[in-house]
Amino acid sequence: MSRSPGRRGEILEAFIRHVAERGYERTNFGDIADELGLSKGTIVHHFGTKAGMLRELEEGFARHQLEAIALMWERLPAPHERLAAVIHAFVIVHTLAGHAAVASQREVGLLAVEPELGAAGRLRRQVRDLVASEVRRGIELGVFRPVDAELATLQLFGSLQWMWVWYDAAGPRTPEEVGAAFVDVFLGGLLLDRLGLSQWADPGASLVPVVWECLRAVAA
């Protein structure tokens, strides 16, 4: 996520880091105020409630996803390219915006129960719907097997949403290697002709720099 200017942005960034490190329930205004050397009243003035801060995180993160997808898909027309790009983007964002990625994924369950997060939930569904539409398009074009596009999309997002539990952006596996492994399994299960899979399930695939460029453009 791009950096917000001024004190308000500093507060939001601290909140996002606290949620990523300890979870939403254990994040409180007092700790953030002490860390930044300000009063809890200042935080309330800017955001109102803790749920309001979570709303900004979730809506902002989802909007960045949609913007990045739009940029990537302008340059990648084929359905298998687009799906591979989305997978790589989910991994690479842990390097470019690690705290926001972890915080958003960690608290995804709150979208179903927190009234203030209704818009964020709708934005997330837009992301999933875009992916499902590419699965359906690939089936119609004869590129993918005739699977249930909605279930296939849920399987993909279900696995990617749990990356925060185990993925370490500073660990031994590069984001490109992790993304390629996910592409290998997901696209490998969809493609009718697997002979070309290796060019997409490759850390050095030509679409990977496109993903980096589009994510950086959105972050800027």
Side-chain angles (χ1 to χ4, degrees):
M1 296 175 67
S2 56
R3 184 180 178 86
S4 302
R7 197 59 157 167
R8 191 178 191 281
E10 189 178 5
I11 295 169
L12 183 60
E13 288 184 5
F15 169 79
I16 291 171
R17 176 167 44 79
H18 280 236
V19 173
E21 293 174 350
R22 64 180 70 173
Y24 177 73
E25 291 299 325
R26 295 178 60 196
T27 296
N28 61 76
F29 283 179
D31 289 342
I32 295 172
D34 290 344
E35 177 183 316
L36 299 179
L38 45 78
S39 69
K40 288 191 286 187
T42 301
I43 301 177
V44 173
H45 168 73
H46 283 295
F47 296 96
T49 64
K50 192 169 77 165
M53 299 181 79
L54 184 63
R55 182 188 66 244
E56 290 211 21
L57 159 65
E58 294 291 0
E59 289 184 13
F61 192 76
R63 286 195 180 97
H64 277 74
Q65 285 182 310
L66 288 168
E67 291 170 11
I69 287 172
L71 291 176
M72 291 187 296
W73 288 5
E74 284 179 4
R75 300 173 60 178
L76 302 168
H80 52 285
E81 290 178 310
R82 290 181 170 185
L83 294 181
V86 168
I87 292 171
H88 277 289
F90 259 86
V91 184
I92 291 171
V93 76
H94 281 263
T95 297
L96 293 179
H99 287 137
V102 171
S104 177
Q105 292 176 4
R106 182 170 186 157
E107 301 301 342
V108 67
L110 292 176
L111 295 178
V113 298
E114 177 57 62
E116 290 199 44
L117 299 180
R122 289 189 290 275
L123 290 169
R124 277 180 177 263
R125 283 192 291 276
Q126 286 182 37
V127 175
R128 291 200 305 270
D129 289 346
L130 286 171
V131 171
S133 70
E134 287 305 305
V135 176
R136 285 190 287 270
R137 190 166 73 95
I139 295 170
E140 292 168 359
L141 292 173
V143 177
F144 297 153
R145 297 188 300 110
V147 300
D148 185 316
E150 186 66 25
L151 285 180
T153 302
L154 289 173
Q155 290 168 358
L156 176 62
F157 276 79
S159 59
L160 292 173
Q161 289 288 0
W162 280 94
M163 281 189 61
W164 72 271
V165 175
W166 57 267
Y167 179 58
D168 179 6
R173 295 184 180 90
T174 67
E176 294 86 356
E177 290 171 338
V178 175
F182 271 80
V183 170
D184 182 63
V185 172
F186 187 67
L187 277 189
L190 287 178
L191 288 169
L192 282 170
D193 182 0
R194 291 167 53 93
L195 291 178
L197 177 61
S198 61
Q199 66 179 307
W200 311 117
D202 181 348
S206 58
L207 61 81
V208 173
V210 174
V211 175
W212 273 101
E213 290 169 15
C214 293
L215 287 174
R216 287 189 174 116
V218 169

